[in-house]
Amino acid sequence: MMLLIDAGNTRIKWAVAEPGAAPGDWLAHGSFAHDDGAALPAVLAAHPGIRRVLGSNVAGPALGVALDATLAAVGLRAEWLASTAERAGVRNGYGEPGQLGTDRWAALIGARRLHRGPCLVVSAGTATTADVLDADGLFRGGVILPGVGLMLRALARNTAQLPFADGHFSDVPRNTADAIVTGCLHAQAGAVERMFRPLAEQPGALCLLTGGAAGRFADLLQVPLRRVDNLVLIGLATVAGEGPQPAAMG
Ligand SMILES: Nc1ncnc2c1ncn2[C@@H]1O[C@H](COP(=O)(O)OP(=O)(O)O)[C@@H](O)[C@H]1O
Ligand SMILES: CC(C)(COP(=O)(O)O)[C@@H](O)C(=O)NCCC(=O)O
Ligand SMILES: [K+]
């Protein structure tokens, strides 16, 4: 039994799976806040059969140290994914491969497992990322923008008159809350659709959309779309299926 951990900037997602399980076929899964010190011990207590832990952490070394300490208390040592030049059939086109967020790297690996054609891998979390994956498994590059929640908070924090908006999408907004929410959702959907344009003419091109905020703008996207829960964890499970990590870090 293995534990997969996706530590993002807002929260930590986890899943327990048998080695070799189908993508997304978890025995259990969930999420917890960074400051919820009781959550991981509870997961470990509920699944005493865990023998291997694979993780991605983009939320900083302090969180990694805390997670490592909790795991060490039950005799486990996490293999933290590093972004490398090549892994599980995906080649990393970043100028410096190690600079790529490990959650993006894992999501690309998961996407390659789910779809063999050209793919735009979109992760809507704290930040939104849209990453171009070629049909032959080359990650060409991608974009990072503030996620939906961050965009909304930025407007509320940095203006005198704008509230934290709890509005709805509208074709032509006629109140402040709807104007803000609609603007932020257009920004997200627009970035995705613009990044998809170069792929659109290629046969089998698909946008894979994951992340906690995906539901806020999925319906707006005018691209061939597949929603996937926990694509990062699927990528980590794929890496686990390749055997021991070459360079475990953390
Ligand atoms: N239960 C939830 N807890 C926290 N964020 C949530 C929840 N449900 C949806 N969200 C949205 O999802 C975003 C976090 O998504 P997630 O993919 O977990 O991000 P990250 O990987 O950056 O931690 C939040 O910014 C928020 O907009
Ligand atoms: C872009 C990110 C902040 C996304 O983090 P998330 O929204 O998943 O918490 C993260 O992947 C990251 O810190 N990346 C490092 C820089 C890069 O990928 O180029
Ligand atoms: K993200």
Side-chain angles (χ1 to χ4, degrees):
M1 206 182 274
M2 59 187 180
L3 172 65
L4 310 166
I5 298 174
D6 168 17
N9 285 288
T10 297
R11 55 190 186 145
I12 297 157
K13 282 71 64 184
W14 62 271
V16 173
E18 293 292 358
D25 186 11
W26 315 129
L27 297 170
H29 66 104
S31 66
F32 55 90
H34 290 182
D35 62 1
D36 183 352
L40 183 56
V43 171
L44 295 169
H47 303 281
I50 292 168
R51 295 283 171 268
R52 190 171 178 200
V53 184
L54 269 102
S56 157
N57 176 24
V58 297
L63 181 71
V65 167
L67 294 173
D68 278 339
T70 302
L71 292 165
V74 296
L76 291 168
R77 187 169 183 276
E79 300 161 57
W80 293 108
L81 183 69
S83 297
T84 51
E86 184 160 13
R87 196 78 212 257
V90 181
R91 282 171 294 128
N92 188 342
Y94 245 34
E96 288 181 39
Q99 200 177 65
L100 180 69
T102 54
D103 58 344
R104 297 171 70 189
W105 184 230
L108 286 158
I109 290 168
R112 182 73 183 157
R113 179 154 175 210
L114 296 180
H115 181 68
R116 281 297 163 139
C119 199
L120 185 68
V121 182
V122 178
S123 173
T126 312
T128 294
T129 53
D131 292 330
V132 178
L133 182 60
D134 267 358
D136 61 2
L138 172 65
F139 161 58
R140 300 186 70 89
V143 297
I144 302 170
L145 57 150
V148 181
L150 262 187
M151 283 191 172
L152 296 171
R153 285 199 295 280
L155 287 174
R157 277 187 191 157
N158 297 290
T159 62
Q161 298 212 110
L162 299 186
F164 181 78
D166 185 21
H168 296 97
F169 184 87
S170 164
D171 287 336
V172 188
R174 290 191 293 147
N175 63 67
T176 304
D178 289 355
I180 293 169
V181 168
T182 301
C184 293
L185 296 180
H186 270 310
Q188 303 287 323
V192 172
E193 290 176 357
R194 288 175 64 91
M195 288 302 290
F196 193 79
R197 272 185 209 164
L199 295 174
E201 302 307 317
Q202 299 178 32
L206 182 66
C207 176
L208 286 184
L209 175 63
T210 194
R216 300 215 49 180
F217 61 90
D219 288 349
L220 295 178
L221 292 173
Q222 297 182 349
V223 295
L225 184 70
R226 179 171 164 195
R227 294 268 308 266
V228 185
D229 286 333
N230 289 314
L231 186 58
V232 174
L233 298 178
I234 290 173
L236 291 170
T238 305
V239 168
E242 289 211 306
Q245 285 223 71
M249 300 201 341

